Amino acid sequence: MDEPFQLEVACLPPHCPVTLRSTLCSEGNDLWESFSHYVSDERGRVNVSKDDSLGGSYIGCEPMGLLWSLRLAVGGRQNIRLRKKNMQTPLVVDISLFDGHTIDNFNTQTALAMTTMERWYMAPGVRRIEVRENGVVGTLFIPPGPGPFPALLDVWGLAGFMEHRAALLASRGYACLALAYINHPELQLGSGMGISYFQESWKLLQSVPQVSADRLGLLGSCFGAAIFILMASELPDISPRCLVAINSPSGLLNPGEGNYLEKLQRLLPETKLDANGHFMIKDAILAFGIDLERSLQAGGIQCPVLLIVGEDDQCVPSLESAQKLEAQMRAVGKGHLVTKLSYPEAGHLIEPPYHPVMRSSSFILPGQTVTLLWGGVGKPHAAAQEDSWRRILEFLDKHL
C-alpha cells in the first residue's frame, strides 16, 4: 500500500482529451471514487507520473492522485473513514479510461479501457496473530523469517483499534503489536484503559520469541502518542529505543487515568462549529482540557523522539504540544534527541501514504455521533503522508 505505481495510457489519437476514473468498494460496501482529466501527447500517450491533470478530483502532476483523492460517491453514505479491517485481503482499485473530459454519469458510458490493482497492507509471509493475554487485546504482525525482529507497539487515537499500519510495518521488517485500548468489546474498560494496561502490553511484546527484547519502539497517533510520551518520560520500567508521535496532544486529560471518551464528551458544549456544523475540538481542548504547563518529567526520556505535526490539525493542539515538549527537552539538555517534522497544510489524520485524505468524518461518543473536523488540505496533506512515512521508516531503520 505504501508503494507508488506507474499508470500509462497508449494508442490514443494525439491531443485527445480523456478522463481517468478510479473506484474502490470498501468492506462496508461503500463506493469511493476519483477522476482526473488529461490530454494525450503527440504520440497518443498519457503518463500519470509525468503529465498534469487539468481538472477533476485534483489538478497538476500527481502520480498517486487517483488514490489519495478518493472520495465517497454521491448518493451513498458520507462522513465515514476508509478503514481496512481484513488485512489478509487487498484493497481492490479499478481504473477506467473514458473519452472526453467527464465529471459524472460514468455508469452510463462505455470505458475505453480498464485495469485493476491490488493494494496490500500485508506482504507475503507476514503472520497475523490475535492477542488475548493477561487482559491485553490486540493483533501481532510478524515479518517472514525466524527473527528475532525489532518490534513496535502501535496505537491510534480515541477512534479505536486499527491494524493496517501495523501490518504495513511488519511488511517492512518490524514485528508490530497493534494494540486496542478503547472502544473494543473485549476490553475491561471500553471508554479507555489506564497506563498499567500499556505497561502489560510492553512486557507481552518483549516476551514474544521472535522479538528482540532490547530493540523495542513506540509508535502512536493522537491520544495513543500522548500515552506513549508519558510512558517514555515517567515510567522507568519502559525503555524504548525510539518513539514516534503523530499529532500528539501530550498533557491532554491526564492519559494515565483511562475513561477518555467521557472526558472528551465534556468538552463538546464548549466546542466551536465550522460553517458545515463540524466540531472543531482543538480550541476547547486548549481552553479546558490541556495543561501545556504540566511538566512532564522530560529528563526521563532517554530515546530519540520523532514528532510529526500537521499544522492544520483542527482536532487537537498538536503543534502547541510538540513545541512544549521540544522546549522541555532542551531545558534538560536533551534537545538533540528530538526531531520535529511540521507540515503547514496537513491535518490530524496523517495516515500511511496514498490513503484517502479525510478533512472530516463521523466520530462515535457514548450516546451520540458527531462529525469532527480533522483539518488538512488535499494535495499538501497527501504529500505530508508520503514524506512522513518515508521519514518514519528512516528513523526506525536508524534507531531500531
Side-chain angles (χ1 to χ4, degrees), residues 17-145:
V18 292
T19 299
L20 284 165
R21 182 194 187 214
S22 58
T23 58
L24 180 157
C25 188
S26 71
E27 291 169 339
N29 208 32
D30 296 294
L31 179 65
W32 294 72
E33 63 176 352
S34 170
F35 66 93
S36 55
H37 297 155
Y38 292 90
V39 174
S40 63
D41 63 16
E42 63 278 0
R43 299 177 300 153
R45 291 176 174 269
V46 172
N47 185 331
V48 175
S49 297
K50 298 178 180 178
D51 298 338
D52 284 350
S53 167
L54 304 178
S57 303
Y58 59 91
I59 294 175
C61 183
E62 291 293 326
M64 301 297 290
L66 286 168
L67 285 192
W68 65 252
S69 68
L70 284 164
R71 295 287 183 273
L72 287 158
V74 175
R77 291 196 300 169
Q78 299 296 310
N79 291 326
I80 56 174
R81 292 166 67 177
L82 178 62
R83 288 194 176 189
K84 187 78 175 72
K85 295 183 178 180
N86 184 356
M87 296 301 110
Q88 294 170 307
T89 61
L91 287 170
V92 178
V93 182
D94 293 315
I95 298 182
S96 306
L97 177 74
F98 295 91
D99 186 26
H101 286 167
T102 304
I103 61 172
D104 54 19
N105 298 321
F106 290 99
N107 292 335
T108 66
Q109 303 176 52
T110 300
L112 302 177
M114 294 182 65
T115 190
T116 298
M117 292 185 302
E118 292 185 348
R119 304 292 289 175
W120 289 84
Y121 287 102
M122 255 177 85
V126 171
R127 287 163 285 174
R128 179 186 178 275
I129 302 167
E130 293 190 3
V131 174
R132 305 291 187 273
E133 188 175 332
N134 296 335
V136 174
V137 177
T139 303
L140 176 64
F141 293 90
I142 300 178

Side-chain angles (χ1 to χ4, degrees), residues 4 38 44 71 84 118 123 157 160 170 181 205 288 304 334 349 354 396:
Y38 292 90
R71 295 287 183 273
K84 187 78 175 72
E118 292 185 348
Y181 72 100
L205 185 58
F288 299 99
K334 294 189 175 182
L349 298 181
Y354 319 127
L396 297 177

